[in-house]
């Protein structure tokens, strides 16, 4: 064999190899339990689709957001599938950065919970498929409430919550009346505080996009929050967010906690929680109006418009968010750890209902949240615990910092709201919403 | 001609290095002059110095500058003073000196993020931290470190991390002290304080200068400790310039304002460097 034919042969083999090579999907995702489970189960997808291989890029939430946003905004094209939230989806879809999802009939789009489907669609077109979804609710220690002789209704008011907090607050024995988020961040303290403001009848922006941070509902809500946490909260609240409070709650140090429904499966798991058998659930407390009292969030899978492997990506998303996937997790990992908050069928599955005693409260919380109508006065934005506009992150972060300063007693509530209003105003002017 | 050839041969590497340095700088300058928010592409208009104006009039800006300088100054003072004392303590041979040295140096090998988490949860947590337990044992109300003393907490963490570095340099310097001179001083009846004043400290001068210089360079950009513990708060109580730029670039996704901030930081670093060279440079001749 001379050199020429050897080269030709090598070339031929290379071409053949390339055409047989599997499509590689690069998926960016967040490092929480449900997603780690999905990575373990990927082998089932790869067995069913031998021409596709999956490469995972697993990141911490904040880092994921940075990587994914810079990638999609600069058209970097690193990822074929991205894990994004309910905040990003409508913004990016409107900019045509995302590919519309078109699952086949077997996928049963109508099985998706309406609140989730609505939050991830623009003009009726689905741009991201919910992998798991959550709302917020009140989680409390049934034993302590019984001891105090208080029976909470299914949807308590904030006044009732404050009463109960006062009764069960017992720092000498290491139990604090109520734990709430205080760490600054639009997804940290502001997620909770926005629901509190909503239920007090407030909003982020009025119909002219003017920030409303110095309005009465905001003042009422923030004063109530600072007072409540300073009297009946644990020390160090201004540095606590979801994970910190989860640790406290599992140690039995919190009497009540209003946070993501996803926490329910952790605090009622005897392997993690010392108080697993003592927890009870109620809807998020209300003040003036039930509108927007509990938030709505979904981690969802979406395809950036620039992806070269559209077809494979569609296939993977349809698999990972399907009814069969939920069943697969139930079989492989147990029904207590299936991704919840996405499909009606999950909540009708007897295995799931048996494994999760929070299922009813969670479903009800999700069903009552409506991102298109979450404030008492009419608002121009979509979203319950955020406003789905690009400028919101910056505003949420600046306001979150002021709120944590007010909680720590560094500034008064009025001062904090005044400087919050100023920075929100600056940001909106910079973005050209008004002069 | 004889000069031209070596220069021509040098040119490729010099030009590469120059480009290596100048291209990112020029891009930063360019970005700082346009409207460039990652969340709003396609609207990259020229807006002059508006980004600079937004960066400087940001309500976090003043506190960030003050915090940066406070952090820098306190950590340097703590590490130099305590570092010199520790180095003097472990200079003379004693049983187990090797082990003590290893223990003293080990905090430097802890990653900044881990360092911050250790302090935040194990030491300073107001409910289950070691400090809180000590306070409760003494019958006092535990200090809520991250809320009441955010900047001081960060200073403690960073100082703990950098103290081994300073100690290491000082110990090495002490090893090279002239033993005969010390002996002579003792023979002449110099007390310890006098030896310290006229022999040890002058001898350590150069290494103190090195420690200050290196720490200044690295501490300007302290970030991990702030990010993982206080998130710059409460309010702006522990925001420094590096954290402020991070906030603009990766939390607000405003590349324009962040670039303006980065250029500002370059200017700030240069001002500090000029003073440093004036003050310390003489020591290094």
């Amino acid at each position: 064999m001379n050199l020429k034919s050897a080269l030709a042969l090598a070339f031929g083999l290379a071409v053949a190899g390339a055409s047989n090579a599997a499509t590689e999907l690069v998926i960016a995702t967040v490092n929480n339990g449900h997603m780690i489970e999905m990575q373990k189960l990927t082998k089932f997808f790869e067995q069913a689709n031998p021409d596709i291989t999956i490469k995972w890029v697993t990141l911490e939430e904040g880092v994921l957001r940075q990587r994914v946003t810079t990638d999609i905004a600069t058209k970097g094209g690193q990822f074929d599938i991205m894990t994004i939230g309910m905040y990003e989806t409508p913004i990016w879809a409107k900019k045509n950065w995302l590919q519309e999802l078109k699952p086949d009939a077997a996928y049963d789009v109508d099985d998706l919970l309406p609140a989730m489907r609505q939050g991830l669609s623009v003009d009726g077109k689905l741009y991201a498929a919910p992998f798991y979804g959550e709302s917020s609710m009140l989680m409390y220690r049934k034993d302590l409430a019984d001891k105090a002789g208080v029976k909470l209704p299914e949807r308590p008011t904030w006044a009732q919550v404050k009463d109960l907090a006062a009764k069960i607050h017992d720092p000498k024995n290491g139990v604090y009346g109520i734990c709430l988020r205080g760490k600054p961040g639009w997804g940290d303290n502001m997620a909770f505080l926005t629901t509190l403001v909503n239920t007090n009848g407030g909003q982020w922006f009025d119909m002219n996009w003017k920030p409303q941070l110095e309005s009465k509902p905001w003042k009422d809500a923030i004063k109530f929050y600072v007072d409540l946490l300073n009297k009946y909260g644990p020390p160090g609240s201004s540095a606590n967010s979801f994970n910190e409070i989860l640790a406290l709650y599992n140690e039995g140090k919190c009497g009540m906690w209003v946070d993501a429904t996803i926490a329910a499966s952790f605090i009622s798991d005897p392997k993690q929680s010392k108080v697993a058998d003592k927890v009870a659930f109620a809807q998020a407390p209300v003040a003036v109006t039930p509108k927007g009292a509990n938030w709505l969030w979904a981690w969802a899978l979406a395809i950036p418009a620039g992806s070269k492997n559209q077809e494979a990506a569609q296939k993977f998303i349809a698999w990972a968010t399907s009814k069969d996937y939920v069943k697969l997790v139930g079989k492989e990992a147990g029904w207590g750890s299936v991704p919840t908050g996405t499909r009606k069928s999950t909540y009708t599955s007897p295995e799931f209902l048996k494994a999760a005693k929070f299922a009813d409260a969670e479903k009800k919380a999700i069903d009552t949240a409506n991102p298109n109508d979450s404030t008492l006065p009419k608002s121009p934005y979509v979203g319950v615990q955020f406003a789905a506009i690009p400028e919101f992150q910056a505003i949420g972060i600046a306001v979150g910092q002021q709120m944590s300063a007010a909680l720590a007693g560094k500034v008064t509530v009025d001062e904090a709201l005044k400087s919050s209003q100023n920075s929100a105003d600056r940001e909106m002017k910079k973005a050209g919403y008004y002069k | 001609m004889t000069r031209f050839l070596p220069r021509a041969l040098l040119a490729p590497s010099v030009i590469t290095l120059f480009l290596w340095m100048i291209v990112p700088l020029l891009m930063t300058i360019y970005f700082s002059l346009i409207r460039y928010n990652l969340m709003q592409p396609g609207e990259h208009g020229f807006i002059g110095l508006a980004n600079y104006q937004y960066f400087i009039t940001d309500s976090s800006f003043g506190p960030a500058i003050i915090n940066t300088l406070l952090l820098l100054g306190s950590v340097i003072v703590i590490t130099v003073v305590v570092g010199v004392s520790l180095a003097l303590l472990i200079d003379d041979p004693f049983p187990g000196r090797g082990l003590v040295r290893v223990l003293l140096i080990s905090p430097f090998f802890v990653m900044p993020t881990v360092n911050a988490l250790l302090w935040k949860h194990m030491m300073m947590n107001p409910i289950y931290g070691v400090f809180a337990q000590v306070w409760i044992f003494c019958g006092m109300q535990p200090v809520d470190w991250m809320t009441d003393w955010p900047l001081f907490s960060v200073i403690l963490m960073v100082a703990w991390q950098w103290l081994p570095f300073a100690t290491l340099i000082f110990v090495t310097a002490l090893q090279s002290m002239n033993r005969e001179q010390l002996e002579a001083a003792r023979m002449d009846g110099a007390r310890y304080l006098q030896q310290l004043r006229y022999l040890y400290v002058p001898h350590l001068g150069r290494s103190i200068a090195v420690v200050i210089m290196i720490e200044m360079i690295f501490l300007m950009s302290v970030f991990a400790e702030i990010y993982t513990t206080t998130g710059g708060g409460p309010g702006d109580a522990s925001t420094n310039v590096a954290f402020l730029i991070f906030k603009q670039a990766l939390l607000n996704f405003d590349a324009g304002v962040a670039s303006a901030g980065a250029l500002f930081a370059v200017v700030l670093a240069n001002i500090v460097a000029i003073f440093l060279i004036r003050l310390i440079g003489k020591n290094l001749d």
Side-chain angles (χ1 to χ4, degrees), chain A residues 124-143:
Chain A
K125 289 181 196 161
L126 191 66
Y127 283 94
F131 182 70
Y132 81 82
E134 63 177 33
S135 181
S136 59
M137 63 182 174
L138 173 68
M139 294 159 272
Y140 66 102
R141 289 272 299 278
K142 189 86 172 53
D143 57 327

Side-chain angles (χ1 to χ4, degrees), chain A residues 60 62-63 65-66 69-70 73-75 87-88 91-92 95 97 176 183-184 186 234-239 244 247-248 253 390-391 393-394 397-398 401-402 404-405 407-408 410 423 426-427 429-433, chain B residues 35-41 43 51 53-55 57-60 120-121 125-128 141 144 146-150 227-237 239 243 246-248 250-254 257:
Chain A
E60 187 264 325
V63 184
R65 213 166 250 142
Q66 291 155 19
T69 308
T70 38
T74 56
K75 307 226 176 340
Y87 169 71
E88 290 91 354
I91 300 176
W92 293 359
K95 293 190 183 297
W97 288 357
Y176 302 94
K183 189 180 179 179
W186 72 269
S237 275
S238 64
E244 288 85 357
L248 288 177
K253 298 205 179 285
E391 295 73 24
Q393 294 203 40
I397 290 160
Q401 280 206 330
Q402 290 301 324
S404 77
L407 180 60
K410 307 262 176 209
S423 46
R426 251 166 64 98
E427 209 60 51
K429 269 189 196 144
K430 189 166 93 180
Y433 280 83
Chain B
R35 187 179 141 89
Y36 190 17
N37 189 321
L38 284 182
M39 300 294 280
Q40 291 155 314
E43 298 165 27
N51 282 329
Q53 195 199 336
Y54 271 110
F55 187 76
T57 54
D58 193 307
S59 60
S60 310
K120 182 185 183 188
H121 290 293
N125 186 291
I127 299 171
Y128 50 77
Q141 181 73 25
D144 189 353
M146 299 298 158
T147 309
D148 295 334
W149 305 95
Y227 180 65
T228 33
T229 54
T230 58
D236 298 317
T239 300
F243 189 82
F246 164 80
K247 205 168 79 176
Q248 298 287 2
L250 287 170
L251 296 179
N252 301 359
F253 293 114
D254 197 329
V257 175

Side-chain angles (χ1 to χ4, degrees), chain A residues 31-51:
Chain A
N31 64 346
N32 57 33
H34 289 313
M35 275 68 177
I36 306 287
E37 190 61 42
M38 168 159 62
Q39 295 173 28
K40 285 190 205 145
L41 298 174
T42 306
K43 57 177 191 275
F44 290 94
F45 176 77
E46 285 178 331
Q47 273 159 20
N49 300 279
D51 54 331

